[in-house]
Amino acid sequence: MNHSEIRYLSISQEDIIEAGAFDLKAAREALIESLFLFRQGRILFPDKIVQIFNEETQERINCLPATLLDEKICGVKWVSVFPPNPRRFGVQNLSAIIVLSEIEKGFPIAVMDGTLCSNMRVAAMGSAAADRLAKADSEVIGFIGAGEQAKMTLLGMKSVRPGLKVCRVGARESFEEQDFIRDMSAVLPDMEFVACDTNLEKAVTGADIIVTATSAQAPLLKAAWIKEGAFYNHIGGWEDEYAVVQKADKIVCDDWNTVKHRTQTLSRCYKDGVLKDEGVYGNLIDLLDGSKPGRENDTEFIYFNAVGLSYTDVSIAYNVYQKVLEAGLGTWSYLQESMIFEKDLAGKIRL
């Protein structure tokens, strides 16, 4: 190997799956470990950069960096969210790549699919919260939204609440519900699936676990629909009316300080004076480290909101990278085989 050679492992979504790295338990473990490491000051977590191209539709590309100091790995997720994609082009609304670099020389080690990693992070965060906050005997889960994050979240919820028997799904279009049921019944054949024909009330009324996973900028979920003792996993932006927040016995976040500066329902409530800092019960890490109890009875309505923390994505991605590397998969690519002026440049430079 040339001393000035720089190469990286290019990892596709197919490589991740073939390597056995589509592993929600491992993703949840990596995510939980990263929450502890961040609290201990062993992770760098700068602000994300957001470029919004259409305020109405929220079409945007985000840049989210983080550094795992113990592993000496710096990563960045470049993620595009284009909500009109399913209706306009019949394709997913989210795509992402993740770049990992070592921080000894600062060279990249991997350029990899970030879409699967992002969706695994959504499932890992939601399921880690549900494990502490959803009723142990939960049987019915209701979805508003039927995209890839909703599908992945169902897998995550089923992994920590295997007693879930019925899944109801309501979406903007009936075909989205049918697509959800087609895909998920193939991997969860023991569940009963109910398409609600865009009736969102039907999707969540009586559900033990409620999930909103949409790109909506409107309050879709109504407080009147929520049964006593439900656990609500809020994934998107502004998806529920303020009364849902006000109804909650406990409000838990992945990181409240981050959430309150974004555009989620909770942050809107905070900016409008409906919710104050003391109204938030705590962050997920407070439950994981035993600082605060999770669910304390079967009648509490508990609201969980995860804004998405880039260091959890990078932690999951690094775990995935190691598995793909060990499996001998991925494709090695070169940034350079030698430094610029070590090459034969005769006749190849234009001035």
Side-chain angles (χ1 to χ4, degrees):
M1 178 177 174
N2 188 312
H3 75 285
S4 56
E5 175 183 286
I6 300 177
R7 67 176 190 161
Y8 61 88
L9 192 62
S10 178
I11 301 173
S12 69
Q13 200 170 103
E14 287 71 21
D15 291 327
I16 294 171
I17 295 169
E18 183 65 25
F22 187 172
D23 184 335
L24 293 183
K25 181 181 178 183
R28 187 164 57 251
E29 290 171 349
L31 178 141
I32 290 172
E33 181 182 18
S34 72
L35 293 175
F36 279 95
L37 290 172
F38 178 69
R39 171 161 283 188
Q40 295 162 13
R42 292 154 67 187
I43 287 178
L44 302 181
F45 179 41
D47 291 337
K48 75 174 182 178
I49 298 170
V50 181
Q51 300 173 90
I52 299 175
F53 313 118
N54 187 314
E55 289 288 348
E56 181 181 351
T57 63
Q58 287 292 296
E59 293 166 81
R60 62 195 184 273
I61 291 180
N62 300 338
C63 177
L64 301 97
T67 298
L68 314 178
L69 294 172
D70 289 355
E71 288 81 3
K72 298 183 178 179
I73 293 294
C74 178
V76 62
K77 182 172 76 167
W78 184 265
V79 54
S80 67
V81 184
F82 279 59
N85 277 1
R87 295 185 302 279
R88 189 182 295 168
F89 304 113
V91 297
Q92 68 204 49
N93 69 354
L94 183 148
S95 64
I97 62 169
I98 293 174
V99 178
L100 300 177
S101 293
E102 48 80 16
I103 59 172
E104 181 180 12
K105 298 185 182 73
F107 293 165
I109 60 170
V111 176
M112 57 192 293
D113 167 69
T115 307
L116 179 53
C117 287
S118 289
N119 287 332
M120 283 199 291
R121 185 262 305 158
V122 169
M125 185 67 80
S127 60
D131 198 33
R132 299 298 174 113
L133 299 172
K135 290 191 298 183
D137 61 353
S138 295
E139 294 186 349
V140 179
I141 185 168
F143 282 87
I144 295 177
E148 288 201 332
Q149 290 191 345
K151 295 171 186 175
M152 196 71 74
T153 297
L154 176 58
L155 295 177
M157 294 299 176
K158 183 70 170 172
S159 72
V160 296
R161 290 294 180 268
L164 285 170
K165 298 176 181 178
V166 178
C167 174
R168 304 192 199 120
V169 57
R172 182 171 178 172
E173 304 286 349
S174 294
F175 77 85
E176 295 174 302
E177 299 171 7
Q178 295 300 330
D179 288 348
F180 180 100
I181 292 172
R182 179 199 65 217
D183 293 343
M184 300 316 295
S185 60
V187 290
L188 296 173
D190 62 324
M191 290 200 76
E192 175 189 346
F193 289 90
V194 179
C196 296
D197 196 23
T198 75
N199 185 331
L200 306 184
E201 180 178 2
K202 180 180 177 182
V204 301
T205 298
D208 301 300
I209 296 175
I210 298 168
V211 180
T212 55
T214 77
S215 298
Q217 294 297 310
L220 303 176
L221 176 63
K222 309 298 182 185
W225 303 345
I226 298 169
K227 76 177 245 183
E228 182 179 76
F231 167 65
Y232 172 35
N233 184 32
H234 174 122
I235 293 174
W238 182 27
E239 300 177 306
D240 52 311
E241 61 183 7
Y242 284 11
V244 175
V245 177
Q246 294 169 312
K247 181 172 184 169
D249 295 296
K250 286 177 180 170
I251 297 172
V252 180
C253 298
D254 56 354
D255 187 296
W256 167 236
N257 192 53
T258 303
V259 169
K260 70 182 179 182
H261 297 299
R262 299 287 177 82
T263 58
Q264 277 73 16
T265 308
L266 292 183
S267 50
R268 288 172 181 266
C269 286
Y270 179 75
K271 289 167 187 172
D272 290 343
V274 175
L275 177 66
K276 298 186 182 301
D277 290 319
E278 55 269 26
V280 175
Y281 180 68
N283 293 328
L284 179 57
I285 186 63
D286 299 320
L287 314 183
L288 296 173
D289 71 5
S291 300
K292 295 182 178 180
R295 176 173 289 274
E296 296 178 90
N297 58 65
D298 284 347
T299 64
E300 290 180 303
F301 165 49
I302 304 179
Y303 186 124
F304 178 69
N305 183 201
V307 72
L309 306 169
S310 61
Y311 63 83
T312 61
D313 290 278
V314 172
S315 296
I316 290 170
Y318 184 54
N319 179 268
V320 167
Y321 159 77
Q322 291 175 302
K323 289 183 177 179
V324 173
L325 187 65
E326 290 169 5
L329 296 170
T331 303
W332 288 104
S333 301
Y334 288 90
L335 284 185
Q336 64 180 43
E337 295 188 34
S338 60
M339 294 175 65
I340 296 170
F341 290 98
E342 292 176 343
K343 307 180 198 302
D344 178 9
L345 299 174
K348 298 175 183 176
I349 302 176
R350 296 185 180 183
L351 301 179

